[in-house]
Amino acid sequence: MSFFQRTEDFRPEGFEDVVGELVDSIRRSFTGVVVDHLEDMLAVPPRHMCLVDRHLSITEDDRDYTIDLLLFHVTQMRYVAIQVQAGRFDPALVARTRYTLDLVDDLVRVPEVHAPSVGVLLCTDAAADQQPGPVAVMLYDDVTPAEQAELPLSLELTALIDRCLDTTGQPSAPR
């Protein structure tokens, strides 16, 4: 065994923890960049949406759920919750996003005044068995086509993720 083989196999104690923390930090930073761009694009008068909160934490049964961007659509009188996942799409994320929407409806929305909340799940990369590229899952249940036309579109959100990946030096996946 050569010196180089021995040193390549050597990992100092705590190495995996440090790498894990770095990866988490990069994901949080990228999520922040995406949320900044989403806010700039969506929380503007022509879109009829305003900012409620960024990185809103809701606790239920000692579990924290974070909504990366919570907007309010003023003409539809409904909350729009956006989750950003820096990483691969996983169907379990859809269920978690739906649950977070239920929490918004239960804890924030006033049913007599507001329409049911809608949500968006954005992932920076598709599942391993799908075409590479960003994924946007629109959770617009029971929303009419006319109302959907006023809400964020899947195509514009995936294009925004592509632009964010391009500006952060990450290679954009070919389509």
Side-chain angles (χ1 to χ4, degrees):
M1 180 182 297
S2 76
F3 172 76
F4 293 106
Q5 288 173 328
R6 283 195 310 258
T7 57
E8 287 174 4
D9 293 337
F10 174 74
R11 291 198 174 149
E13 186 176 323
F15 177 78
E16 287 83 13
D17 295 337
V18 171
V19 170
E21 288 175 19
L22 284 171
V23 169
D24 288 344
S25 176
I26 290 167
R27 284 188 174 148
R28 280 191 306 274
S29 296
F30 182 77
T31 299
V33 168
V34 172
V35 169
D36 289 344
H37 287 306
L38 285 168
E39 182 181 343
D40 291 345
M41 181 175 82
L42 299 174
V44 293
R47 297 298 295 253
H48 305 289
M49 286 190 269
C50 59
L51 175 67
V52 175
D53 207 348
R54 297 167 49 104
H55 308 293
L56 174 67
S57 181
I58 298 175
T59 303
E60 185 189 59
D61 297 331
D62 296 326
R63 289 196 63 193
D64 285 330
Y65 298 89
T66 300
I67 300 168
D68 292 310
L69 188 63
L70 185 61
L71 303 170
F72 188 76
H73 197 289
V74 295
T75 58
Q76 293 186 16
M77 296 297 290
R78 74 172 74 241
Y79 290 98
V80 179
I82 301 177
Q83 299 288 115
V84 178
Q85 171 69 24
R88 287 203 180 274
F89 171 77
D90 180 353
L93 294 170
V94 175
R96 184 175 171 93
T97 302
R98 282 193 189 281
Y99 187 74
T100 304
L101 275 179
D102 290 342
L103 290 175
V104 170
D105 279 344
D106 292 346
L107 302 173
V108 180
R109 180 176 79 100
V110 178
E112 298 81 23
V113 179
H114 302 135
S117 302
V118 295
V120 176
L121 169 63
L122 289 174
C123 296
T124 59
D125 199 11
D129 60 344
Q130 296 174 333
Q131 177 85 12
V135 174
V137 178
M138 316 313 274
L139 302 173
Y140 295 165
D141 302 338
D142 302 323
V143 177
T144 67
E147 291 171 327
Q148 283 184 21
E150 294 180 4
L151 294 169
L153 303 172
S154 176
L155 187 59
E156 71 181 323
L157 297 178
T158 55
L160 179 121
I161 294 285
D162 276 336
R163 285 194 309 275
C164 289
L165 287 170
D166 287 343
T167 61
T168 58
Q170 297 292 324
S172 185
R175 296 210 178 230

